Amino acid sequence: MNTETIKLIESRKSCRAFKQEEISKEVLDKLKELTLRAPSAGNMELYSIIEITDKDIKNELADICDGQKMIANAPIVWIFLADNNKWEKFFKYSKSDEKFAKPLRATGLGDMHLCMQDAIIASQNAVVAAEALGLGSCFIGDIIENYERLQKLLNLPSHAIPAAMLIMGYPLSEKKSEVTTPRPDTSSSIFMENGYKDLTSDDIYSQYEKHLEYFASKHLLPIEDASVADYYYNRKYTSSFMEEMNRSAKTFIDRWINEQ
């Protein structure tokens, strides 16, 4: 049993403030190497990673992602793309369709799903690798907003779409709080056996008991006697940024399907 790996995963927390300290080539190369060890469908690596080093682009990304200045200040900014474009080109360069007398088919949603899986698996590998290298990290979900601006900024083809963004660097604070954000117990209804379980209110409420305690202790609940559902309904589910995420995601999915 690798107890060090277990401890690393158990203690990992998102980091949103970084030292303005350059990441050495040795550390960055090792981070890239470990990221690339991620599982991949058919070992095809159906993803690409855009590393943002240009300060102006970082500033633009911060604006695209709801004005989050921590993006502009992060030493490492990686955007993970679900990328089928490179394989389409690879097939054409190899003239695979001619060799097997099989015309190149239209790229579909199944391709997109596999590409998304590969990209997100790789991004999680990067998170664990960063932690092992002494770097903090934070996922930025807002990268799927404002697709038109992002597409223009990064010159994205139709079959390379945003899957995830990670910002990384050395944590600003040397001290790491032992208090981690809550997660459900292993006995919770998240784990289902042999089929989907139709959840009762008791199932769901018990699953998020720790979350409720945490939000209450931080005075984050929007109204008196609020539940965890109320917190997320008010803060995320009905938010303007969630509306934009849905609009933007539909835009890049439609482009994926319709532009061959």
Side-chain angles (χ1 to χ4, degrees):
M1 181 182 294
N2 191 328
T3 57
E4 286 301 310
T5 302
I6 292 171
K7 182 179 178 182
L8 182 148
I9 293 173
E10 288 179 336
S11 63
R12 189 263 167 191
K13 295 174 66 177
S14 292
C15 178
R16 296 174 174 83
F18 307 100
K19 293 179 181 178
Q20 292 307 299
E21 180 178 334
E22 185 177 351
I23 311 300
S24 70
K25 184 179 184 303
E26 179 184 13
V27 169
L28 188 58
D29 285 348
K30 179 55 70 173
L31 178 62
K32 292 178 179 179
E33 177 187 333
L34 295 174
T35 297
L36 292 171
R37 292 304 307 165
S40 170
N43 197 29
M44 293 173 72
E45 290 76 46
L46 296 164
Y47 64 93
S48 294
I49 303 169
I50 298 181
E51 181 179 5
I52 308 299
T53 57
D54 185 279
K55 185 66 176 175
D56 290 338
I57 298 179
K58 286 184 181 182
N59 286 330
E60 181 73 10
L61 288 170
D63 189 56
I64 286 173
C65 296
D66 293 329
Q68 296 186 74
K69 295 187 181 301
M70 60 187 178
I71 298 169
N73 296 328
I76 301 173
V77 177
W78 282 4
I79 298 172
F80 291 77
L81 302 176
D83 184 6
N84 204 61
N85 183 71
K86 63 183 180 182
W87 276 96
E88 292 164 17
K89 287 184 175 295
F90 198 5
F91 295 144
K92 289 178 181 177
Y93 295 152
S94 297
K95 298 184 178 179
S96 300
D97 57 335
E98 296 177 15
K99 292 173 184 175
F100 298 99
K102 293 181 179 179
L104 188 65
R105 62 170 174 79
T107 298
L109 289 178
D111 300 294
M112 188 188 78
H113 203 303
L114 284 176
C115 292
M116 279 286 185
Q117 288 182 44
D118 272 15
I120 292 170
I121 291 168
S123 69
Q124 181 59 23
N125 240 48
V127 164
V128 177
E131 194 77 9
L133 292 166
L135 301 170
S137 65
C138 184
F139 277 109
I140 307 294
D142 304 273
I143 194 60
I144 66 172
E145 294 183 47
N146 299 302
Y147 170 66
E148 295 86 348
R149 289 178 62 187
L150 184 72
Q151 187 277 324
K152 184 177 180 181
L153 180 68
L154 302 180
N155 192 34
L156 301 179
S158 57
H159 294 152
I161 59 178
M165 175 194 268
L166 268 182
I167 58 173
M168 296 173 281
Y170 292 111
L172 188 61
S173 174
E174 298 290 348
K175 293 183 179 180
K176 192 172 189 178
S177 169
E178 295 194 5
V179 178
T180 55
T181 48
R183 296 291 188 271
D185 293 325
T186 55
S187 59
S188 80
S189 55
I190 284 182
F191 287 97
M192 301 179 180
E193 187 173 358
N194 297 327
Y196 193 88
K197 179 181 178 181
D198 189 14
L199 301 179
T200 66
S201 61
D202 286 343
D203 290 330
I204 299 176
Y205 273 87
S206 63
Q207 182 171 302
Y208 292 103
E209 284 177 355
K210 289 182 180 179
H211 295 65
L212 184 59
E213 293 173 8
Y214 177 82
F215 293 150
S217 71
K218 298 287 187 180
H219 307 289
L220 296 173
L221 297 174
I223 55 175
E224 190 176 352
D225 296 327
S227 70
V228 174
D230 299 326
Y231 171 83
Y232 284 111
Y233 187 85
N234 182 61
R235 186 171 184 269
K236 289 201 171 184
Y237 194 74
T238 60
S239 66
S240 58
F241 72 77
M242 198 65 240
E243 183 177 352
E244 167 55 25
M245 281 188 182
N246 284 324
R247 184 210 66 81
S248 180
K250 183 179 185 304
T251 300
F252 62 68
I253 291 170
D254 285 347
R255 186 174 181 232
W256 178 287
I257 295 170
N258 295 319
E259 292 190 20
Q260 299 301 325

mmCIF file with all atom_site columns, all heavy atoms in Angstrom, residues 40-59:
data_model
loop_
_atom_site.group_PDB
_atom_site.id
_atom_site.type_symbol
_atom_site.label_atom_id
_atom_site.label_alt_id
_atom_site.label_comp_id
_atom_site.label_asym_id
_atom_site.label_entity_id
_atom_site.label_seq_id
_atom_site.pdbx_PDB_ins_code
_atom_site.Cartn_x
_atom_site.Cartn_y
_atom_site.Cartn_z
_atom_site.occupancy
_atom_site.B_iso_or_equiv
_atom_site.pdbx_formal_charge
_atom_site.auth_seq_id
_atom_site.auth_comp_id
_atom_site.auth_asym_id
_atom_site.auth_atom_id
_atom_site.pdbx_PDB_model_num
ATOM 1   N N   . SER A 1 40 ? -5.760  6.615  -21.371 1.00 0.00 ? 40 SER A N   1
ATOM 2   C CA  . SER A 1 40 ? -6.285  7.245  -22.574 1.00 0.00 ? 40 SER A CA  1
ATOM 3   C C   . SER A 1 40 ? -6.971  6.200  -23.433 1.00 0.00 ? 40 SER A C   1
ATOM 4   O O   . SER A 1 40 ? -6.486  5.065  -23.538 1.00 0.00 ? 40 SER A O   1
ATOM 5   C CB  . SER A 1 40 ? -5.128  7.890  -23.355 1.00 0.00 ? 40 SER A CB  1
ATOM 6   O OG  . SER A 1 40 ? -5.533  8.314  -24.631 1.00 0.00 ? 40 SER A OG  1
ATOM 7   N N   . ALA A 1 41 ? -8.084  6.568  -24.038 1.00 0.00 ? 41 ALA A N   1
ATOM 8   C CA  . ALA A 1 41 ? -8.841  5.631  -24.873 1.00 0.00 ? 41 ALA A CA  1
ATOM 9   C C   . ALA A 1 41 ? -7.967  5.133  -26.025 1.00 0.00 ? 41 ALA A C   1
ATOM 10  O O   . ALA A 1 41 ? -7.548  5.919  -26.881 1.00 0.00 ? 41 ALA A O   1
ATOM 11  C CB  . ALA A 1 41 ? -10.098 6.308  -25.422 1.00 0.00 ? 41 ALA A CB  1
ATOM 12  N N   . GLY A 1 42 ? -7.694  3.843  -26.040 1.00 0.00 ? 42 GLY A N   1
ATOM 13  C CA  . GLY A 1 42 ? -6.882  3.260  -27.107 1.00 0.00 ? 42 GLY A CA  1
ATOM 14  C C   . GLY A 1 42 ? -5.462  3.788  -27.142 1.00 0.00 ? 42 GLY A C   1
ATOM 15  O O   . GLY A 1 42 ? -4.769  3.630  -28.150 1.00 0.00 ? 42 GLY A O   1
ATOM 16  N N   . ASN A 1 43 ? -5.026  4.446  -26.063 1.00 0.00 ? 43 ASN A N   1
ATOM 17  C CA  . ASN A 1 43 ? -3.705  5.071  -26.020 1.00 0.00 ? 43 ASN A CA  1
ATOM 18  C C   . ASN A 1 43 ? -3.521  6.075  -27.160 1.00 0.00 ? 43 ASN A C   1
ATOM 19  O O   . ASN A 1 43 ? -2.432  6.239  -27.708 1.00 0.00 ? 43 ASN A O   1
ATOM 20  C CB  . ASN A 1 43 ? -2.600  4.009  -26.069 1.00 0.00 ? 43 ASN A CB  1
ATOM 21  C CG  . ASN A 1 43 ? -1.256  4.545  -25.624 1.00 0.00 ? 43 ASN A CG  1
ATOM 22  O OD1 . ASN A 1 43 ? -1.179  5.469  -24.812 1.00 0.00 ? 43 ASN A OD1 1
ATOM 23  N ND2 . ASN A 1 43 ? -0.190  3.990  -26.159 1.00 0.00 ? 43 ASN A ND2 1
ATOM 24  N N   . MET A 1 44 ? -4.613  6.795  -27.480 1.00 0.00 ? 44 MET A N   1
ATOM 25  C CA  . MET A 1 44 ? -4.581  7.748  -28.593 1.00 0.00 ? 44 MET A CA  1
ATOM 26  C C   . MET A 1 44 ? -4.337  9.187  -28.124 1.00 0.00 ? 44 MET A C   1
ATOM 27  O O   . MET A 1 44 ? -4.065  10.058 -28.951 1.00 0.00 ? 44 MET A O   1
ATOM 28  C CB  . MET A 1 44 ? -5.895  7.682  -29.377 1.00 0.00 ? 44 MET A CB  1
ATOM 29  C CG  . MET A 1 44 ? -6.107  6.368  -30.120 1.00 0.00 ? 44 MET A CG  1
ATOM 30  S SD  . MET A 1 44 ? -7.754  6.229  -30.861 1.00 0.00 ? 44 MET A SD  1
ATOM 31  C CE  . MET A 1 44 ? -7.623  7.406  -32.219 1.00 0.00 ? 44 MET A CE  1
ATOM 32  N N   . GLU A 1 45 ? -4.451  9.424  -26.810 1.00 0.00 ? 45 GLU A N   1
ATOM 33  C CA  . GLU A 1 45 ? -4.318  10.792 -26.286 1.00 0.00 ? 45 GLU A CA  1
ATOM 34  C C   . GLU A 1 45 ? -5.212  11.758 -27.075 1.00 0.00 ? 45 GLU A C   1
ATOM 35  O O   . GLU A 1 45 ? -4.723  12.653 -27.782 1.00 0.00 ? 45 GLU A O   1
ATOM 36  C CB  . GLU A 1 45 ? -2.865  11.282 -26.307 1.00 0.00 ? 45 GLU A CB  1
ATOM 37  C CG  . GLU A 1 45 ? -1.974  10.590 -25.301 1.00 0.00 ? 45 GLU A CG  1
ATOM 38  C CD  . GLU A 1 45 ? -1.587  9.180  -25.733 1.00 0.00 ? 45 GLU A CD  1
ATOM 39  O OE1 . GLU A 1 45 ? -1.196  8.988  -26.897 1.00 0.00 ? 45 GLU A OE1 1
ATOM 40  O OE2 . GLU A 1 45 ? -1.698  8.261  -24.903 1.00 0.00 ? 45 GLU A OE2 1
ATOM 41  N N   . LEU A 1 46 ? -6.502  11.574 -26.933 1.00 0.00 ? 46 LEU A N   1
ATOM 42  C CA  . LEU A 1 46 ? -7.473  12.374 -27.681 1.00 0.00 ? 46 LEU A CA  1
ATOM 43  C C   . LEU A 1 46 ? -7.663  13.749 -27.034 1.00 0.00 ? 46 LEU A C   1
ATOM 44  O O   . LEU A 1 46 ? -8.781  14.212 -26.820 1.00 0.00 ? 46 LEU A O   1
ATOM 45  C CB  . LEU A 1 46 ? -8.808  11.637 -27.747 1.00 0.00 ? 46 LEU A CB  1
ATOM 46  C CG  . LEU A 1 46 ? -8.792  10.310 -28.514 1.00 0.00 ? 46 LEU A CG  1
ATOM 47  C CD1 . LEU A 1 46 ? -10.019 9.479  -28.186 1.00 0.00 ? 46 LEU A CD1 1
ATOM 48  C CD2 . LEU A 1 46 ? -8.714  10.572 -30.014 1.00 0.00 ? 46 LEU A CD2 1
ATOM 49  N N   . TYR A 1 47 ? -6.562  14.376 -26.699 1.00 0.00 ? 47 TYR A N   1
ATOM 50  C CA  . TYR A 1 47 ? -6.599  15.687 -26.059 1.00 0.00 ? 47 TYR A CA  1
ATOM 51  C C   . TYR A 1 47 ? -5.345  16.466 -26.410 1.00 0.00 ? 47 TYR A C   1
ATOM 52  O O   . TYR A 1 47 ? -4.336  15.894 -26.848 1.00 0.00 ? 47 TYR A O   1
ATOM 53  C CB  . TYR A 1 47 ? -6.728  15.556 -24.530 1.00 0.00 ? 47 TYR A CB  1
ATOM 54  C CG  . TYR A 1 47 ? -5.542  14.888 -23.850 1.00 0.00 ? 47 TYR A CG  1
ATOM 55  C CD1 . TYR A 1 47 ? -4.479  15.639 -23.338 1.00 0.00 ? 47 TYR A CD1 1
ATOM 56  C CD2 . TYR A 1 47 ? -5.480  13.500 -23.717 1.00 0.00 ? 47 TYR A CD2 1
ATOM 57  C CE1 . TYR A 1 47 ? -3.407  15.033 -22.712 1.00 0.00 ? 47 TYR A CE1 1
ATOM 58  C CE2 . TYR A 1 47 ? -4.407  12.887 -23.105 1.00 0.00 ? 47 TYR A CE2 1
ATOM 59  C CZ  . TYR A 1 47 ? -3.362  13.655 -22.594 1.00 0.00 ? 47 TYR A CZ  1
ATOM 60  O OH  . TYR A 1 47 ? -2.293  13.042 -21.983 1.00 0.00 ? 47 TYR A OH  1
ATOM 61  N N   . SER A 1 48 ? -5.425  17.764 -26.220 1.00 0.00 ? 48 SER A N   1
ATOM 62  C CA  . SER A 1 48 ? -4.254  18.635 -26.312 1.00 0.00 ? 48 SER A CA  1
ATOM 63  C C   . SER A 1 48 ? -4.281  19.574 -25.116 1.00 0.00 ? 48 SER A C   1
ATOM 64  O O   . SER A 1 48 ? -5.342  19.802 -24.521 1.00 0.00 ? 48 SER A O   1
ATOM 65  C CB  . SER A 1 48 ? -4.263  19.443 -27.620 1.00 0.00 ? 48 SER A CB  1
ATOM 66  O OG  . SER A 1 48 ? -4.124  18.584 -28.741 1.00 0.00 ? 48 SER A OG  1
ATOM 67  N N   . ILE A 1 49 ? -3.134  20.090 -24.767 1.00 0.00 ? 49 ILE A N   1
ATOM 68  C CA  . ILE A 1 49 ? -3.022  21.017 -23.641 1.00 0.00 ? 49 ILE A CA  1
ATOM 69  C C   . ILE A 1 49 ? -2.368  22.298 -24.138 1.00 0.00 ? 49 ILE A C   1
ATOM 70  O O   . ILE A 1 49 ? -1.250  22.263 -24.657 1.00 0.00 ? 49 ILE A O   1
ATOM 71  C CB  . ILE A 1 49 ? -2.185  20.421 -22.491 1.00 0.00 ? 49 ILE A CB  1
ATOM 72  C CG1 . ILE A 1 49 ? -2.772  19.093 -22.025 1.00 0.00 ? 49 ILE A CG1 1
ATOM 73  C CG2 . ILE A 1 49 ? -2.091  21.412 -21.332 1.00 0.00 ? 49 ILE A CG2 1
ATOM 74  C CD1 . ILE A 1 49 ? -1.867  18.312 -21.091 1.00 0.00 ? 49 ILE A CD1 1
ATOM 75  N N   . ILE A 1 50 ? -3.075  23.400 -24.004 1.00 0.00 ? 50 ILE A N   1
ATOM 76  C CA  . ILE A 1 50 ? -2.495  24.697 -24.361 1.00 0.00 ? 50 ILE A CA  1
ATOM 77  C C   . ILE A 1 50 ? -1.918  25.315 -23.098 1.00 0.00 ? 50 ILE A C   1
ATOM 78  O O   . ILE A 1 50 ? -2.642  25.588 -22.129 1.00 0.00 ? 50 ILE A O   1
ATOM 79  C CB  . ILE A 1 50 ? -3.535  25.630 -24.995 1.00 0.00 ? 50 ILE A CB  1
ATOM 80  C CG1 . ILE A 1 50 ? -4.070  25.025 -26.300 1.00 0.00 ? 50 ILE A CG1 1
ATOM 81  C CG2 . ILE A 1 50 ? -2.924  27.011 -25.265 1.00 0.00 ? 50 ILE A CG2 1
ATOM 82  C CD1 . ILE A 1 50 ? -5.088  25.888 -27.020 1.00 0.00 ? 50 ILE A CD1 1
ATOM 83  N N   . GLU A 1 51 ? -0.610  25.507 -23.103 1.00 0.00 ? 51 GLU A N   1
ATOM 84  C CA  . GLU A 1 51 ? 0.066   26.153 -21.971 1.00 0.00 ? 51 GLU A CA  1
ATOM 85  C C   . GLU A 1 51 ? 0.138   27.654 -22.254 1.00 0.00 ? 51 GLU A C   1
ATOM 86  O O   . GLU A 1 51 ? 0.705   28.076 -23.262 1.00 0.00 ? 51 GLU A O   1
ATOM 87  C CB  . GLU A 1 51 ? 1.465   25.570 -21.794 1.00 0.00 ? 51 GLU A CB  1
ATOM 88  C CG  . GLU A 1 51 ? 2.225   26.165 -20.631 1.00 0.00 ? 51 GLU A CG  1
ATOM 89  C CD  . GLU A 1 51 ? 3.606   25.544 -20.458 1.00 0.00 ? 51 GLU A CD  1
ATOM 90  O OE1 . GLU A 1 51 ? 4.003   24.712 -21.307 1.00 0.00 ? 51 GLU A OE1 1
ATOM 91  O OE2 . GLU A 1 51 ? 4.282   25.896 -19.490 1.00 0.00 ? 51 GLU A OE2 1
ATOM 92  N N   . ILE A 1 52 ? -0.447  28.434 -21.370 1.00 0.00 ? 52 ILE A N   1
ATOM 93  C CA  . ILE A 1 52 ? -0.501  29.888 -21.568 1.00 0.00 ? 52 ILE A CA  1
ATOM 94  C C   . ILE A 1 52 ? 0.657   30.547 -20.828 1.00 0.00 ? 52 ILE A C   1
ATOM 95  O O   . ILE A 1 52 ? 0.731   30.513 -19.590 1.00 0.00 ? 52 ILE A O   1
ATOM 96  C CB  . ILE A 1 52 ? -1.840  30.473 -21.064 1.00 0.00 ? 52 ILE A CB  1
ATOM 97  C CG1 . ILE A 1 52 ? -3.027  29.721 -21.670 1.00 0.00 ? 52 ILE A CG1 1
ATOM 98  C CG2 . ILE A 1 52 ? -1.908  31.954 -21.374 1.00 0.00 ? 52 ILE A CG2 1
ATOM 99  C CD1 . ILE A 1 52 ? -3.117  29.778 -23.160 1.00 0.00 ? 52 ILE A CD1 1
ATOM 100 N N   . THR A 1 53 ? 1.562   31.134 -21.584 1.00 0.00 ? 53 THR A N   1
ATOM 101 C CA  . THR A 1 53 ? 2.703   31.841 -20.991 1.00 0.00 ? 53 THR A CA  1
ATOM 102 C C   . THR A 1 53 ? 2.611   33.350 -21.221 1.00 0.00 ? 53 THR A C   1
ATOM 103 O O   . THR A 1 53 ? 3.302   34.117 -20.551 1.00 0.00 ? 53 THR A O   1
ATOM 104 C CB  . THR A 1 53 ? 4.023   31.314 -21.575 1.00 0.00 ? 53 THR A CB  1
ATOM 105 O OG1 . THR A 1 53 ? 4.001   31.463 -23.005 1.00 0.00 ? 53 THR A OG1 1
ATOM 106 C CG2 . THR A 1 53 ? 4.203   29.838 -21.240 1.00 0.00 ? 53 THR A CG2 1
ATOM 107 N N   . ASP A 1 54 ? 1.796   33.766 -22.175 1.00 0.00 ? 54 ASP A N   1
ATOM 108 C CA  . ASP A 1 54 ? 1.659   35.179 -22.521 1.00 0.00 ? 54 ASP A CA  1
ATOM 109 C C   . ASP A 1 54 ? 0.769   35.888 -21.499 1.00 0.00 ? 54 ASP A C   1
ATOM 110 O O   . ASP A 1 54 ? -0.359  35.479 -21.247 1.00 0.00 ? 54 ASP A O   1
ATOM 111 C CB  . ASP A 1 54 ? 1.055   35.303 -23.920 1.00 0.00 ? 54 ASP A CB  1
ATOM 112 C CG  . ASP A 1 54 ? 1.002   36.735 -24.399 1.00 0.00 ? 54 ASP A CG  1
ATOM 113 O OD1 . ASP A 1 54 ? 0.060   37.449 -23.989 1.00 0.00 ? 54 ASP A OD1 1
ATOM 114 O OD2 . ASP A 1 54 ? 1.878   37.129 -25.185 1.00 0.00 ? 54 ASP A OD2 1
ATOM 115 N N   . LYS A 1 55 ? 1.276   36.959 -20.897 1.00 0.00 ? 55 LYS A N   1
ATOM 116 C CA  . LYS A 1 55 ? 0.549   37.673 -19.845 1.00 0.00 ? 55 LYS A CA  1
ATOM 117 C C   . LYS A 1 55 ? -0.750  38.267 -20.370 1.00 0.00 ? 55 LYS A C   1
ATOM 118 O O   . LYS A 1 55 ? -1.776  38.262 -19.670 1.00 0.00 ? 55 LYS A O   1
ATOM 119 C CB  . LYS A 1 55 ? 1.438   38.789 -19.271 1.00 0.00 ? 55 LYS A CB  1
ATOM 120 C CG  . LYS A 1 55 ? 0.826   39.521 -18.085 1.00 0.00 ? 55 LYS A CG  1
ATOM 121 C CD  . LYS A 1 55 ? 0.683   38.604 -16.883 1.00 0.00 ? 55 LYS A CD  1
ATOM 122 C CE  . LYS A 1 55 ? 0.164   39.365 -15.682 1.00 0.00 ? 55 LYS A CE  1
ATOM 123 N NZ  . LYS A 1 55 ? -0.100  38.472 -14.512 1.00 0.00 ? 55 LYS A NZ  1
ATOM 124 N N   . ASP A 1 56 ? -0.740  38.782 -21.582 1.00 0.00 ? 56 ASP A N   1
ATOM 125 C CA  . ASP A 1 56 ? -1.959  39.372 -22.144 1.00 0.00 ? 56 ASP A CA  1
ATOM 126 C C   . ASP A 1 56 ? -3.049  38.320 -22.330 1.00 0.00 ? 56 ASP A C   1
ATOM 127 O O   . ASP A 1 56 ? -4.229  38.600 -22.097 1.00 0.00 ? 56 ASP A O   1
ATOM 128 C CB  . ASP A 1 56 ? -1.653  40.052 -23.483 1.00 0.00 ? 56 ASP A CB  1
ATOM 129 C CG  . ASP A 1 56 ? -0.818  41.313 -23.325 1.00 0.00 ? 56 ASP A CG  1
ATOM 130 O OD1 . ASP A 1 56 ? -0.830  41.894 -22.213 1.00 0.00 ? 56 ASP A OD1 1
ATOM 131 O OD2 . ASP A 1 56 ? -0.155  41.709 -24.298 1.00 0.00 ? 56 ASP A OD2 1
ATOM 132 N N   . ILE A 1 57 ? -2.657  37.118 -22.743 1.00 0.00 ? 57 ILE A N   1
ATOM 133 C CA  . ILE A 1 57 ? -3.639  36.052 -22.917 1.00 0.00 ? 57 ILE A CA  1
ATOM 134 C C   . ILE A 1 57 ? -4.182  35.612 -21.560 1.00 0.00 ? 57 ILE A C   1
ATOM 135 O O   . ILE A 1 57 ? -5.384  35.346 -21.404 1.00 0.00 ? 57 ILE A O   1
ATOM 136 C CB  . ILE A 1 57 ? -3.032  34.865 -23.687 1.00 0.00 ? 57 ILE A CB  1
ATOM 137 C CG1 . ILE A 1 57 ? -2.612  35.299 -25.096 1.00 0.00 ? 57 ILE A CG1 1
ATOM 138 C CG2 . ILE A 1 57 ? -4.029  33.703 -23.772 1.00 0.00 ? 57 ILE A CG2 1
ATOM 139 C CD1 . ILE A 1 57 ? -1.973  34.201 -25.916 1.00 0.00 ? 57 ILE A CD1 1
ATOM 140 N N   . LYS A 1 58 ? -3.306  35.570 -20.561 1.00 0.00 ? 58 LYS A N   1
ATOM 141 C CA  . LYS A 1 58 ? -3.773  35.236 -19.208 1.00 0.00 ? 58 LYS A CA  1
ATOM 142 C C   . LYS A 1 58 ? -4.803  36.258 -18.732 1.00 0.00 ? 58 LYS A C   1
ATOM 143 O O   . LYS A 1 58 ? -5.836  35.897 -18.141 1.00 0.00 ? 58 LYS A O   1
ATOM 144 C CB  . LYS A 1 58 ? -2.601  35.191 -18.220 1.00 0.00 ? 58 LYS A CB  1
ATOM 145 C CG  . LYS A 1 58 ? -1.709  33.971 -18.352 1.00 0.00 ? 58 LYS A CG  1
ATOM 146 C CD  . LYS A 1 58 ? -0.646  33.974 -17.258 1.00 0.00 ? 58 LYS A CD  1
ATOM 147 C CE  . LYS A 1 58 ? 0.281   32.786 -17.367 1.00 0.00 ? 58 LYS A CE  1
ATOM 148 N NZ  . LYS A 1 58 ? 1.302   32.739 -16.287 1.00 0.00 ? 58 LYS A NZ  1
ATOM 149 N N   . ASN A 1 59 ? -4.531  37.527 -18.978 1.00 0.00 ? 59 ASN A N   1
ATOM 150 C CA  . ASN A 1 59 ? -5.476  38.576 -18.584 1.00 0.00 ? 59 ASN A CA  1
ATOM 151 C C   . ASN A 1 59 ? -6.808  38.421 -19.306 1.00 0.00 ? 59 ASN A C   1
ATOM 152 O O   . ASN A 1 59 ? -7.879  38.601 -18.712 1.00 0.00 ? 59 ASN A O   1
ATOM 153 C CB  . ASN A 1 59 ? -4.887  39.956 -18.874 1.00 0.00 ? 59 ASN A CB  1
ATOM 154 C CG  . ASN A 1 59 ? -3.797  40.344 -17.890 1.00 0.00 ? 59 ASN A CG  1
ATOM 155 O OD1 . ASN A 1 59 ? -3.822  39.926 -16.733 1.00 0.00 ? 59 ASN A OD1 1
ATOM 156 N ND2 . ASN A 1 59 ? -2.831  41.134 -18.345 1.00 0.00 ? 59 ASN A ND2 1
#
